[in-house]
Amino acid sequence: MAIQLGQIAPDFEQDTTHGPIRFYDWLGSSWGMLVSGPKQFTRSAATDLTEMAKLRDEWERFGVKPIGLSADDVETDQPQQPRLADRQKAAYPPIITDNDAKVSKLYGAVYVENDPAVSSRSIFVIDPTKQVRHIATYPASAAESVFTEILGAIERLQQADAFDPVI
């Protein structure tokens, strides 16, 4: 079953390109953005990684920790990041190794049942209480930046919380 708005985001332990994490510990008291999608280094995945990296200052301004979710393993993802980061002049966020589909099943990410190279991608915005506050799903063929839209949603959620905190 897919995670829904207002539910508590599932916790998990998994390897990433920055080392093993326990998701809740990694998030701490920050907002989080979990971006699932096709295998890395497809057109849409490369676009997502590049845009997430370029918006690093904006994520920091809103207290958001972005993290990717890949059907590939760390050995596939890790060697590519320095090359791409150098070319794009940006530091990439961690990417969760999900070749066992453990995390994607927890979140009901779309690509679990499909070919990971051609499936949709999903973005889960999680607040400091670990509640899922925003979900967006896009087809893999929509390889344009969606993160300006996500930043706007996060800004509106945080503004609303300042006046009427979520319980």
Side-chain angles (χ1 to χ4, degrees), residues 52-162:
M52 283 195 305
K54 286 181 179 178
L55 292 168
R56 180 180 177 181
D57 292 343
E58 291 297 306
W59 304 128
E60 288 177 5
R61 183 167 72 98
F62 288 104
V64 176
K65 292 173 115 177
I67 192 165
L69 177 64
S70 173
D72 289 324
D73 58 24
V74 171
E75 288 75 28
T76 301
D77 287 330
Q78 206 159 19
Q80 301 295 332
Q81 285 197 3
R83 180 181 59 82
L84 291 172
D86 184 55
R87 185 171 45 185
Q88 300 298 332
K89 304 294 185 241
Y92 285 101
I95 301 173
I96 299 164
T97 294
D98 198 36
N99 56 351
D100 60 0
K102 175 184 165 184
V103 178
S104 54
K105 286 178 183 175
L106 279 173
Y107 280 79
V110 177
Y111 74 85
V112 175
E113 301 299 329
N114 299 317
D115 178 350
V118 297
S119 65
S120 299
R121 54 207 174 123
S122 296
I123 300 170
F124 302 88
V125 175
I126 301 157
D127 73 13
T129 69
K130 311 303 183 262
Q131 185 179 32
V132 176
R133 299 290 299 280
H134 183 84
I135 300 171
T137 300
Y138 302 89
S141 61
E144 73 278 347
S145 175
V146 297
F147 294 110
T148 301
E149 174 187 334
I150 299 301
L151 274 168
I154 291 168
E155 181 176 24
R156 288 184 299 278
L157 287 167
Q158 290 180 356
Q159 287 172 349
D161 286 358

Side-chain angles (χ1 to χ4, degrees), residues 5-18:
L5 290 176
Q7 292 181 324
I8 299 300
D11 193 16
F12 56 85
E13 292 183 25
Q14 203 79 342
D15 286 334
T16 76
T17 52
H18 294 193

Side-chain angles (χ1 to χ4, degrees), residues 26-56:
W26 179 82
L27 274 177
S29 60
S30 297
W31 284 71
M33 182 179 66
L34 175 67
V35 180
S36 73
K39 288 188 173 189
Q40 297 307 312
F41 314 112
T42 60
R43 186 172 155 235
S44 62
T47 298
D48 283 351
L49 282 174
T50 299
E51 289 305 315
M52 283 195 305
K54 286 181 179 178
L55 292 168
R56 180 180 177 181

